[in-house]
């Protein structure tokens, strides 16, 4: 990893950690107020008795088209009543998102209800509000806490050229009115997201035949241009950042697919910006996304996968970005998904497959999932959606072939199997003039995940180098023990 990539990773990691610290249960209410902590949905667009928990200031919900992502966000944005101090703000209600017509006679069941739970200043105690429909009216709204909520859907920014705004049809006879400056810090964040350096950005008030509006104007490289000459992605980010920065603190935002029209670097920087704005302004953000870049940028507790099938609609928490990508690609990425526990197991399995059947690597995708339970659950999810998937757990966890779970050879976690092999020890000791047994004893290594890092630090090398050398030597010695596992992978692929 080059220095620039390492800096980006470190910065993202720092933002996550700082935001997680503010969001710890003991700090949560003082920073985020009556945060929406969970939502139970019953009777909306085929969603019944679905619990959605919010474990991070940002929640990214992924899933196939039609799974229910938008429904979750639309219901969440109805969670708060209008603040008593607000003047121009207008809250949104369930009826705003679920119109009934001859084409859609019953998007909501007659017994539909929502149970909202909110954070309170008492540890472990939630405030609960149920919203139900009594005949044609909804009851429960008045018991909700106050908060400004904003829905940033696909129409939050439509280029003025496309909607024939007054800046277009009255372009030649516009009158310029008040200028609204944008804070320099906001300008720098906009520039960081888009990878563009701006000299200045502001909103200009305009008027034509008693109609008034405003238009974004940017300057860079000595050239000034309005949003009428901006790209869609540039204009959309400008409007979204403006809303996030100028809304009252502790607002709730629901954002639909923010990756639309953004290149991958901009998606990454936008996800980083969302964590930054939540840290500074204590917003809660719920977004729907198909972007593995955005999912990967966020911590596991922020990621959710919604699945709709013959069993109904279900939520799976803490999915990996690779798991989401595999599902959303509908099998086009690879023919078989293999779930393993961590990076060491992944690298060991890759090299074992390379040794036994190099071409097989082109047909499989190996994902680091987490502990044994997470591996089992991830495999189950993938298979339920019709994908071919198996798990390969650490040797100390054993096999469960009835549930498509295989095991690495041996009796111990892969790090122990590799570094306890006498030939591997002798090889590393000879190459680096160290005593591995003494290093591990001296450092009192109880967590096998730390073995590679400790050895690398001792010999002043990179963990990736030590891991690669050890795995290669290990497979030279015991490669035949992987024959059955690689055969099983080939059969499943």
């Amino acid at each position: 990893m080059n220095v620039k990539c390492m800096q980006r990773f470190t910065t993202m990691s720092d933002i996550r950690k700082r935001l997680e610290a503010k969001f710890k249960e003991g700090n949560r209410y003082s920073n985020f107020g009556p945060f929406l902590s969970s939502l139970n949905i019953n009777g909306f667009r085929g969603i019944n008795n679905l619990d959605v928990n919010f474990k991070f200031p940002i929640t990214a919900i992924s899933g196939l088209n039609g799974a229910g992502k938008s429904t979750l966000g639309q219901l969440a944005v109805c969670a708060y009543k209008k603040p008593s101090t607000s003047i121009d703000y207008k809250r949104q209600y369930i009826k705003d998102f679920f119109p009934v017509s001859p084409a859609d006679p019953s998007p909501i069941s007659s017994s539909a209800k929502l149970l909202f739970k909110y954070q309170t200043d008492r540890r472990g105690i939630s405030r609960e509000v149920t919203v139900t429909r009594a005949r044609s009216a909804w009851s429960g709204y008045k018991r909700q806490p106050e908060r400004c909520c904003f829905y940033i859907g696909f129409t939050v920014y439509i280029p003025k050229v496309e909607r024939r705004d007054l800046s277009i049809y009255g372009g030649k006879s516009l009158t310029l009115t008040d200028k609204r400056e944008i804070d320099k810090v906001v300008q720098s964040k906009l520039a960081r997201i888009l990878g563009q350096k701006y000299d200045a950005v502001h909103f200009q008030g305009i008027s034509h035949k008693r109609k008034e509006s405003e238009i974004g104007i940017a300057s860079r490289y000595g050239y000034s241009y309005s949003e009428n000459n901006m790209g869609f992605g540039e204009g959309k980010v400008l409007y979204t950042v403006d809303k996030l920065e100028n809304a009252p603190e502790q607002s709730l935002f629901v954002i639909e697919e923010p990756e639309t029209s953004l290149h991958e670097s901009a998606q990454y920087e936008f996800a980083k910006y969302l964590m930054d704005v939540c840290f500074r302004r204590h917003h809660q953000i719920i977004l729907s996304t198909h972007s593995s870049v955005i999912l990967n940028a966020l911590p596991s507790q922020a990621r959710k996968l919604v699945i709709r099938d013959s069993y109904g609609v279900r939520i799976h928490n803490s999915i990996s970005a690779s798991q989401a990508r595999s599902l959303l690609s509908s099998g086009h990425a690879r023919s078989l998904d293999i779930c393993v526990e961590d990076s060491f197991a992944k690298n060991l399995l890759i090299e074992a497959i390379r040794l036994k059947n190099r071409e097989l690597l082109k047909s499989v995708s190996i994902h680091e999932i987490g502990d044994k339970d997470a591996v089992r659950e991830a495999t189950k999810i993938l298979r339920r959606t019709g994908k071919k998937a198996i798990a390969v757990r650490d040797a100390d966890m054993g096999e469960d072939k009835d549930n498509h779970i295989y095991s690495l050879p041996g009796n111990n976690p892969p790090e122990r199997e590799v570094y306890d092999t006498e030939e591997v020890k002798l090889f590393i000791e000879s190459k680096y003039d160290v005593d591995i047994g003494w290093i591990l004893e001296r450092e009192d290594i109880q967590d096998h995940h730390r073995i590679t890092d400790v050895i690398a630090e001792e010999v002043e090398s990179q963990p990736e180098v030590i891991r690669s050398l050890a795995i290669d030597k290990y497979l030279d010695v015991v490669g035949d023990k992987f024959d059955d596992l690689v055969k099983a992978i080939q059969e499943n692929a």
Side-chain angles (χ1 to χ4, degrees):
M1 182 180 292
N2 61 39
V3 174
K4 185 176 181 180
C5 288
M6 181 64 76
Q7 289 173 341
R8 282 179 27 143
F9 176 81
T10 302
T11 302
M12 178 67 84
S13 176
D14 288 346
I15 291 174
R16 287 182 184 177
K17 289 178 180 177
R18 287 188 291 138
L19 187 54
E20 286 171 347
K22 270 196 171 182
F23 195 67
K24 285 183 178 179
E25 189 171 0
N27 303 331
R28 192 173 303 167
Y29 187 81
S30 61
N31 287 317
F32 294 91
F35 183 90
L36 180 62
S37 57
S38 74
L39 172 61
N40 179 270
I41 305 170
N42 209 338
F44 293 84
R45 293 177 182 154
I47 301 177
N48 295 298
N49 197 29
L50 179 70
D51 284 310
V52 188
N53 299 307
F54 303 103
K55 302 292 187 182
F56 195 67
I58 304 171
T59 301
I61 303 173
S62 189
L64 295 174
N65 296 122
K69 302 184 298 297
S70 294
T71 301
L72 270 56
Q74 290 164 355
L75 292 172
V77 85
C78 302
Y80 296 87
K81 66 182 178 183
K82 176 182 177 179
S84 57
T85 55
S86 297
I87 299 174
D88 298 328
Y89 171 78
K90 181 181 178 181
R91 72 156 292 173
Q92 291 170 302
Y93 296 91
I94 293 170
K95 64 180 178 61
D96 297 329
F97 296 105
F98 297 84
V100 177
S101 71
D104 295 288
S106 56
I108 306 172
S109 74
S110 59
S111 59
K113 67 177 181 179
L114 297 170
L115 174 62
F116 297 98
K117 292 185 179 181
Y118 309 89
Q119 183 74 30
T120 70
D121 58 356
R122 299 167 62 191
R123 184 183 292 269
I125 304 297
S126 297
R127 177 180 177 180
E128 298 185 2
V129 175
T130 300
V131 174
T132 59
R133 185 168 64 173
R135 297 179 183 176
S136 60
W138 290 89
S139 65
Y141 289 133
K142 292 181 179 179
R143 298 191 301 276
Q144 293 177 327
E146 295 183 355
R147 173 160 292 187
C148 289
C149 302
F150 300 93
Y151 184 76
I152 302 182
F154 292 103
T155 60
V156 68
Y157 177 73
I158 301 175
K160 288 178 166 55
V161 171
E162 294 185 24
R163 56 187 160 115
R164 309 309 295 171
D165 179 81
L166 68 85
S167 65
I168 302 297
Y169 69 72
K172 293 183 179 180
S173 55
L174 286 178
T175 299
L176 300 182
T177 58
D178 294 336
K179 179 180 179 181
R180 179 163 66 88
E181 298 287 355
I182 294 180
D183 186 272
K184 290 291 185 183
V185 174
V186 177
Q187 290 186 35
S188 69
K189 294 184 182 303
L190 179 68
R192 183 67 179 264
I193 293 169
L194 295 173
Q196 305 280 3
K197 182 179 179 181
Y198 292 93
D199 300 322
V201 183
H202 69 274
F203 282 95
Q204 177 62 58
I206 54 176
S207 176
H208 175 71
K209 293 182 179 180
R210 298 183 179 181
K211 293 184 178 180
E212 296 186 351
S213 182
E214 68 174 7
I215 188 168
I217 296 180
S219 299
R220 59 188 175 104
Y221 306 128
Y223 169 64
S224 178
Y225 58 97
S226 79
E227 64 182 87
N228 289 342
N229 289 289
M230 287 181 183
F232 177 65
E234 186 177 16
K236 181 182 177 182
V237 170
L238 172 60
Y239 270 75
T240 302
V241 170
D242 184 57
K243 284 183 176 291
L244 286 162
E245 295 293 342
N246 289 299
E249 288 199 5
Q250 295 186 349
S251 290
L252 169 66
F253 281 85
V254 172
I255 307 177
E256 292 277 11
E257 300 185 22
E259 71 271 16
T260 303
S261 75
L262 295 182
H263 56 276
E264 288 196 349
S265 176
Q267 293 175 31
Y268 174 90
E269 293 294 341
F270 186 76
K272 189 165 68 173
Y273 165 73
L274 291 181
M275 284 191 279
D276 172 70
V277 75
C278 285
F279 178 82
R280 290 184 291 108
R281 312 204 72 243
H282 305 129
H283 295 324
Q284 178 175 9
I285 297 175
I286 300 168
L287 61 93
S288 65
T289 183
H290 294 122
S291 169
S292 58
V293 174
I294 289 178
L295 290 171
N296 197 47
L298 298 171
S300 62
Q301 62 268 36
R303 302 190 295 255
K304 296 183 183 296
L305 178 70
V306 58
I307 294 176
R308 185 191 293 267
D309 57 19
S310 59
Y311 296 96
V313 178
R314 304 183 309 282
I315 286 281
H316 295 279
N317 301 310
S318 302
I319 63 165
S320 68
S322 58
Q323 182 184 341
R325 178 177 179 273
S326 179
L327 172 66
L328 299 178
S329 69
S330 296
H332 294 298
R334 298 290 172 129
S335 64
L336 177 68
D337 289 283
I338 304 175
C339 301
V340 299
E341 293 186 28
D342 54 34
S343 61
F344 196 97
K346 177 178 179 177
N347 281 273
L348 176 57
L349 187 56
I350 286 173
E351 296 308 317
I353 295 173
R354 192 190 312 278
L355 176 66
K356 297 297 177 180
N357 186 347
R358 180 182 297 267
E359 291 301 311
L360 184 58
L361 283 174
K362 299 177 181 179
S363 301
V364 302
S365 184
I366 304 175
H367 313 291
E368 307 163 32
I369 301 297
D371 62 21
K372 59 180 176 49
D373 294 326
V375 166
R376 178 188 291 273
E377 181 66 13
T379 305
K380 186 188 300 183
I381 293 170
L382 289 169
R383 295 189 70 87
R384 276 183 177 174
T385 59
K387 292 186 63 61
K388 292 192 291 185
I390 63 171
V392 177
R393 291 196 305 203
D394 292 356
D396 57 327
M397 295 296 102
E399 295 184 334
D400 183 4
K401 291 183 180 179
D402 289 342
N403 288 302
H404 313 284
I405 298 173
Y406 298 82
S407 174
L408 293 169
N411 300 298
N412 300 301
E415 291 89 342
R416 293 290 184 191
E417 289 289 336
V418 170
Y419 291 108
D420 285 346
T421 298
E422 193 63 25
E423 289 84 350
V424 174
K425 283 184 179 179
L426 293 173
F427 174 74
I428 294 178
E429 289 174 356
S430 174
K431 182 175 180 63
Y432 293 103
D433 192 25
V434 295
D435 184 340
I436 291 181
W438 163 238
I439 293 171
L440 301 183
E441 181 180 348
R442 181 191 68 199
E443 297 294 331
D444 190 27
I445 302 301
Q446 302 298 319
D447 181 1
H448 57 271
H449 297 103
R450 294 188 57 231
I451 295 176
T452 301
D453 291 339
V454 170
I455 295 175
E457 183 177 357
E458 180 70 21
V459 303
E460 297 184 352
S461 183
Q462 295 298 309
E464 294 84 357
V465 174
I466 301 301
R467 180 178 62 200
S468 179
L469 290 172
I471 286 175
D472 285 347
K473 188 63 180 178
Y474 174 71
L475 291 173
D476 283 345
V477 178
V478 303
D480 290 346
K481 293 183 179 180
F482 285 82
D483 287 350
D484 291 342
L485 177 59
V486 174
K487 182 180 178 181
I489 293 172
Q490 183 174 1
E491 291 172 349
N492 279 278

